[in-house]
Amino acid sequence: MPKRLIFLLGGARSGKSRYAEAWARTHGARVLFVATAQAGDADMAARIAEHRARRPGHWQSLEAPRQVPQRIRDCAIPHDVLLLDCITLMTSNLLLDLPESTSQIDANEAILSEVEALLAVYERSEATWMVVSNEVGMGVVPPSRLGVLFRDMLGRANQRVAERADEVILLVAGLSWKLK
């Protein structure tokens, strides 16, 4: 199977991760799961544990909340499918690491640079990649500057990944809709 870049988008609890995991189970003998989450509180720790419990034991995992492109590039674990879950947390982690005085232009440059680096790693890879992200642009306008910045940055990151992707799938209530 020739490599492809598959991009999954959807709201919170829309079924993105379950869809990606099911797809990887049927299409990859050697799966590398790249996790960008970190357990900052008990709720996130429980979500991470639930996700880990669902994954087959033979899958390899790379926990990379930061420097995601570099960590994938430097990873020596052989794989046919790379499942990256998710761009949303990669963006959040990057945004929270920026100094509070960072301008919106500089913040956007930082995330788009990270996305471009990620896509460059994909181009050099021989594996099919399934990349998960949240669609956050369909809800209410966030009340804080940080919330608006996050929404805008993630929206731009999602646009860039979708532009490059071979296939884009939107999940709503566990149902998939192929956009591209």
Side-chain angles (χ1 to χ4, degrees):
M1 163 174 85
K3 80 175 189 174
R4 296 182 302 163
L5 177 57
I6 304 166
F7 190 40
L8 296 178
L9 285 168
R13 309 299 173 270
S14 62
K16 300 176 303 291
S17 295
R18 285 186 187 276
Y19 183 99
E21 292 162 3
W23 189 95
R25 266 189 216 91
T26 60
H27 290 86
R30 299 177 304 166
V31 176
L32 176 61
F33 187 94
V34 179
T36 60
Q38 52 190 358
D41 59 28
D43 288 338
M44 184 57 88
R47 287 181 57 198
I48 290 169
E50 176 188 332
H51 279 244
R52 282 181 181 148
R54 282 197 321 243
R55 293 195 295 263
H58 66 279
W59 285 10
Q60 298 294 314
S61 293
L62 172 65
E63 299 202 4
R66 294 190 170 53
Q67 300 178 330
V68 178
Q70 299 88 333
R71 297 284 309 281
I72 294 171
R73 183 192 63 223
D74 296 343
C75 180
I77 299 170
H79 55 278
D80 306 308
V81 171
L82 183 143
L83 197 167
L84 172 59
D85 196 355
C86 68
I87 295 288
T88 310
L89 290 173
M90 181 185 89
T91 300
S92 175
N93 294 340
L94 180 62
L95 179 60
L96 293 174
D97 285 346
L98 294 174
E100 198 169 312
S101 62
T102 302
S103 72
Q104 185 167 355
I105 292 170
D106 290 342
N108 283 324
E109 279 185 31
I111 188 56
L112 290 177
S113 175
E114 191 84 350
V115 168
E116 289 302 329
L118 189 65
L119 293 171
V121 173
Y122 165 73
E123 292 299 337
R124 290 190 295 272
S125 168
E126 294 180 15
T128 288
W129 281 29
M130 177 152 296
V131 177
V132 176
S133 189
N134 284 50
E135 176 52 66
V136 295
M138 296 177 170
V140 298
V141 175
S144 69
R145 176 187 178 275
L146 184 61
V148 169
L149 188 58
F150 170 72
R151 180 205 56 195
D152 292 351
M153 286 176 59
L154 183 58
R156 288 185 182 96
N158 286 345
Q159 287 181 51
R160 179 61 187 110
V161 176
E163 176 185 298
R164 171 53 194 89
D166 299 300
E167 191 173 338
V168 179
I169 300 167
L170 177 67
L171 278 102
V172 178
L175 302 174
S176 61
W177 184 19
K178 188 171 182 177
L179 302 177
K180 177 181 178 185

